[in-house]
Amino acid sequence: MTFLIAALTLGGMQVTKRMTLPIIPEPVSIRYEDGHFTLGPKTTISAPSELASLAEMLKEDIGPAFGFDLPIVNHGDSDSIHLTLDKKLARLGVEGYTLRVHAHRIEISAPETAGVFYGIQTLRQLLPTESFRKDKTENVAWTVPCARIEDYPRFGWRGMHIDASRHFMPKEFILKYIDLIALHKMNVLHFHLTDDQGWRIEIKKYPKLTSVGGWRKESMAGHYGEHRFDGVPHGGFYTQEDIKEIVRYAHDRFVKVVPEIEMPGHAQAAIAAYPELGNTGKPLDVFTEWGVDENVFNVDDSTIHFLQDVLTEVVGLFPSEFIHVGGDECPKTQWKASPEAQARIKALGLKDENELQSWFIHQMDTFLASKGRRLVGWDEILEGGLAPGATVMSWQGEEGGVAAAKAGHDVVMTPAQYTYFDHYQTQDHKAEGLTIGGYLPLRRVYGYEPVPKELNAEEAKHVLGAQGQLWTEYIPNPKRLEFMGFPRTCALSEVLWTPKKERDYDQFLSRLSVHLERLTALDVNYCPLGLPK
Ligand code: TNX
């Protein structure tokens, strides 16, 4: 990466502008050339009709700071930013693109629209960081260095997760989070919508899931074992209209939204709404503690049908091929004590409660397959046997991912020690504020290798990619979520996009220091690099 210092004269005023070309994630190949393109009042964006909405997005992204109109035209010539689809570039894959900056013309070309979108994200990062501001910014040289870039991602699943159950996150913030995911060329939002502490998605057939399950009396304060509660009611949910808006917004930015409906554990909010779904028949409140909860769904036919009805509405709202059914942390205490669960084990000829859990997930796998979808679940779904169509998220280390890939199943790597962004990122806990625990500094995220070394080349093809997790027990609001998520998300984006051999932490850090100016302009409350690592 070349660092250029250019002294520019603007309106008689001397402006020193760093032109560092700090792109995150780092593209596959960049060749810089002499000269630069200058955006000015005559600049247009030229796009065929299939790319008109992307042209509009580019205009909205850079127009406000730049202050000129940037008209969108059909056939621009000189001084134009050209967006084009070119099937001859098929070798770059469905997300690849080329970006050419000449002195009087910029060309973004790709075989598919997703690639044009990613080319636009790169172009935004070739402009001065001020271009990310939302107000007209004077005295900036709006130049783009001449360059040839060819780029495509290493992995197809480049995900970020958000837990909207432990703390509800407003729809407006989910949209901002999608923008940030897309800026980093990531393409999956894993939307954790249900858990013990709150059910966050409107289900028309079962309105109490949100009217009762969407609210809790208070939340646990401090760490487990301190037995302190804050006395503050908490709740909220997304209407189906909200969900449609989120899915559409994400789709326009090439982000797939994978919903998660937790079962058979992490179910207390649903059982609070409909006690017949539980094992004890006793009324329950929505859970106010964090941690693993013993109240899990029962295994009656009516409960299986209830959850399949829920999934029917979920499938109707989310076009995602993958539907996440959780499957993690399901204590077996209640099933051991339940005559119905024991009768089910006997009737099905199962060995134990682990096999019962596997049977439960299997019911959902078959159901989702009948709707043309694929089930994904946390690695506990391996216990008692993996359902035939299941994809595994390996969170308890890499072992689950290795086992699933060796058995021919697809996996998404989510090991806690590399991808749990709810863990501390510094050693200055006082400055950082309370988190759930752990320690995952930026360098460690950057150094993560998603393909476990235990896999041979054939098995490694089952590793779809990886994903960062933002569990929100100790993340009460969007600003805190930004603090925990950034800049670790920037590091993960590069792990997932950039060829392994191009990764260099020190060089990443120097690019990041400029990238953080963009995040400031976007009002992202990132964790500053100065805190002790
Ligand atoms: C484990 S990861 C959980 C979550 C917690 C998280 C906190 C997983 C599948 N289960 O329920 O929120 O740890 O880090």
Side-chain angles (χ1 to χ4, degrees):
M1 181 70 44
T2 351
F3 280 60
L4 298 169
I5 305 291
L8 301 156
T9 308
L10 260 184
M13 188 183 149
Q14 182 80 1
V15 180
T16 305
K17 178 73 208 149
R18 238 176 350 170
M19 286 167 47
T20 52
L21 319 178
I23 304 164
I24 291 180
E26 173 84 337
V28 172
S29 95
I30 313 179
R31 219 173 70 211
Y32 295 113
E33 292 169 344
D34 289 341
H36 53 257
F37 179 98
T38 305
L39 275 85
K42 283 205 240 123
T43 308
T44 57
I45 303 175
S46 152
S49 55
E50 310 94 276
L51 299 176
S53 59
L54 291 188
E56 194 59 48
M57 236 186 261
L58 172 61
K59 178 185 164 113
E60 279 167 24
D61 284 336
I62 65 177
F66 173 59
F68 298 115
D69 182 42
L70 285 172
I72 297 170
V73 296
N74 248 175
H75 297 286
D77 37 42
S78 80
D79 287 325
S80 245
I81 302 169
H82 294 259
L83 309 183
T84 53
L85 284 172
D86 183 354
K87 291 288 175 206
K88 290 199 294 300
L89 294 172
R91 68 189 159 81
L92 297 175
V94 289
E95 299 183 306
Y97 67 92
T98 62
L99 170 57
R100 298 271 161 92
V101 182
H102 307 279
H104 290 284
R105 180 184 174 90
I106 293 177
E107 282 164 32
I108 296 174
S109 308
E112 305 285 341
T113 48
V116 176
F117 179 78
Y118 292 130
I120 288 173
Q121 303 319 306
T122 298
L123 175 60
R124 290 174 73 194
Q125 298 196 24
L126 285 176
L127 276 157
T129 54
E130 290 87 343
S131 64
F132 282 78
R133 296 177 54 147
K134 289 286 160 258
D135 48 346
K136 189 166 183 311
T137 306
E138 310 281 354
N139 296 331
V140 175
W142 295 112
T143 58
V144 185
C146 289
R148 284 164 178 266
I149 296 180
E150 191 168 293
D151 202 13
Y152 48 84
R154 182 174 170 207
F155 292 101
W157 187 302
R158 304 182 301 279
M160 282 304 299
H161 152 285
I162 190 169
D163 169 9
S165 170
R166 274 52 178 271
H167 283 99
F168 178 67
M169 297 288 157
K171 178 190 74 185
E172 291 67 28
F173 177 67
I174 301 294
L175 303 182
K176 178 179 181 184
Y177 191 53
I178 290 168
D179 279 331
L180 292 170
I181 288 172
L183 171 64
H184 292 86
K185 302 192 176 84
M186 297 175 95
N187 63 356
V188 175
L189 169 65
H190 172 168
F191 205 4
H192 185 81
L193 286 164
T194 74
D195 215 303
D196 301 305
Q197 298 84 357
W199 183 285
R200 306 279 175 235
I201 174 172
E202 177 188 27
I203 298 297
K204 303 267 191 208
K205 190 160 183 188
Y206 302 116
K208 283 202 276 181
L209 284 171
T210 42
S211 67
V212 174
W215 309 89
R216 66 175 178 262
K217 273 200 288 232
E218 57 183 353
S219 309
M220 201 165 100
H223 276 144
Y224 212 81
E226 290 179 33
H227 300 293
R228 285 195 292 126
F229 291 85
D230 64 5
V232 183
H234 180 84
F237 65 91
Y238 307 100
T239 64
Q240 294 204 349
E241 287 311 306
D242 291 337
I243 295 283
K244 286 181 199 159
E245 185 182 339
I246 289 167
V247 168
R248 208 177 314 118
Y249 192 87
H251 176 262
D252 289 346
R253 288 156 184 80
F254 300 89
V255 173
K256 297 173 208 90
V257 187
V258 175
E260 180 179 354
I261 305 296
E262 274 266 21
M263 61 188 84
H266 289 284
Q268 186 164 328
I271 301 169
Y274 295 97
E276 63 273 25
L277 300 172
N279 290 281
T280 68
K282 287 201 204 95
L284 289 170
D285 284 336
V286 175
F287 205 36
T288 55
E289 295 174 28
W290 315 133
V292 179
D293 179 4
E294 297 210 329
N295 292 297
V296 305
F297 287 127
N298 65 39
V299 294
D300 296 350
D301 286 338
S302 53
T303 298
I304 300 291
H305 292 146
F306 180 103
L307 291 168
Q308 291 177 341
D309 287 345
V310 168
L311 289 179
T312 299
E313 292 195 28
V314 167
V315 161
L317 290 165
F318 294 90
S320 160
E321 179 188 12
F322 287 97
I323 305 289
H324 203 302
V325 297
D328 60 309
E329 297 178 327
C330 177
K332 309 296 183 303
T333 344
Q334 294 189 343
W335 287 354
K336 284 196 172 121
S338 149
E340 291 83 3
Q342 292 306 312
R344 178 72 92 181
I345 289 178
K346 210 160 158 223
L348 293 166
L350 304 175
K351 200 167 80 211
D352 57 13
E353 290 74 20
N354 280 344
E355 288 197 355
L356 186 58
Q357 170 176 303
S358 171
W359 169 83
F360 196 114
I361 298 294
H362 204 131
Q363 303 310 297
M364 302 304 154
D365 185 40
T366 314
F367 181 77
L368 288 172
S370 77
K371 306 255 175 207
R373 306 302 179 97
R374 294 173 66 185
L375 176 147
V376 53
W378 300 108
D379 54 35
E380 287 93 331
I381 66 172
L382 282 151
E383 296 162 4
L386 203 50
T391 294
V392 171
M393 276 192 180
S394 186
W395 75 278
Q396 303 175 99
E398 298 175 280
E399 297 77 15
V402 170
K406 282 190 183 293
H409 289 254
D410 284 346
V411 303
V412 177
M413 297 305 291
T414 55
Q417 61 271 44
Y418 294 102
T419 67
Y420 271 36
F421 297 169
D422 55 335
H423 292 182
Y424 283 108
Q425 52 198 313
T426 79
Q427 284 173 332
D428 186 346
H429 292 186
K430 215 162 148 222
E432 194 175 346
L434 187 69
T435 83
I436 198 161
Y439 179 47
L440 175 54
L442 185 65
R443 177 189 286 273
R444 192 173 163 82
V445 178
Y446 194 81
Y448 177 52
E449 170 47 41
V451 178
K453 54 183 178 327
E454 293 86 345
L455 299 182
N456 65 31
E458 214 31 56
E459 293 158 351
K461 290 186 187 149
H462 287 295
V463 178
L464 304 180
Q467 179 179 285
Q469 276 49 246
L470 279 161
W471 298 103
T472 58
E473 289 95 330
Y474 295 90
I475 302 183
N477 55 51
K479 283 289 150 211
R480 185 68 185 167
L481 191 127
E482 292 172 1
F483 185 85
M484 298 306 286
F486 293 88
R488 288 184 288 191
T489 301
C490 312
L492 184 63
S493 78
E494 197 148 307
V495 169
L496 291 168
W497 182 281
T498 306
K500 193 176 168 187
K501 64 173 173 30
E502 299 294 331
R503 269 197 273 146
D504 174 330
Y505 186 62
D506 291 332
Q507 199 243 42
F508 165 73
L509 280 185
S510 61
R511 278 180 287 122
L512 182 62
S513 65
V514 178
H515 189 70
L516 293 178
E517 292 174 19
R518 300 180 185 126
L519 296 186
T520 301
L522 293 172
D523 188 29
V524 177
N525 180 38
Y526 57 83
C527 176
L529 293 176
L531 292 181
K533 292 291 168 288

